[in-house]
Amino acid sequence: MKEENGSTSLEIRPQAQNRRLFYFPIVHTVQDMGSLASHVKEKHKSKDNRTHVASIARFWDLVEEEALSLLPCKCTVRIYQDALPICDHELQIVSDLVKQGSRNHTIVQHLMDNGAQVMGTESPDLLLEEYHLAKRVMEQGGQSITDGKAAAEILRKRDQFIAERINKTLAAGEVGIVFLGMMHCIEAELSSDIEIIYPIGRPEASQGTAK
């Protein structure tokens, strides 16, 4: 978040009963795609995408700068992460993706090293359903109208689940940091007492929603 003079100011101060959520819309990289990564690499191996890769790197530099400026702080900070399922090994998932070179999860790890708590964020069943759909679309070389409708419905259900997870686990006086892909739109499902802050701008998919 930039002040009018261009300096960065995202200091977190404890505020009684307020619940605040710092929302970072993100761009997924190949390293974040797990077992789908090989399909993506195969699809793009013949393309010269150096300019695109450089732009993505600059984007993540900005996210890292702004996200790390939030910590350390005196209140409890919870991290909610796109595609991180509620399970018994969230920390291991983050660690594995850091080793694979994920900028997103490297930032999450740095936040955790400074006292933030990573939260299982998503429904494992919905993530698995989306994975199978995405794999089928890649293998068949394109998305049908039916596939598109199915993908949109899964995303809608994921957004509802993520918002409800935040509503239930972010307590009064705590701060949340959420990293979500650009197509997500959770604001309308969040409790009205949660203040949403957009350090690097609001995602286009959420513009025009209630919050």
Side-chain angles (χ1 to χ4, degrees), residues 30-42:
V30 170
Q31 291 81 5
D32 299 319
M33 294 182 179
S35 58
L36 290 177
S38 59
H39 293 276
V40 176
K41 288 179 180 178
E42 180 69 23

Side-chain angles (χ1 to χ4, degrees), residues 14-28:
Q15 295 184 11
Q17 300 303 309
N18 290 359
R19 296 198 288 173
R20 285 174 292 164
L21 184 68
F22 289 82
Y23 190 135
F24 288 89
I26 62 171
V27 176
H28 294 296

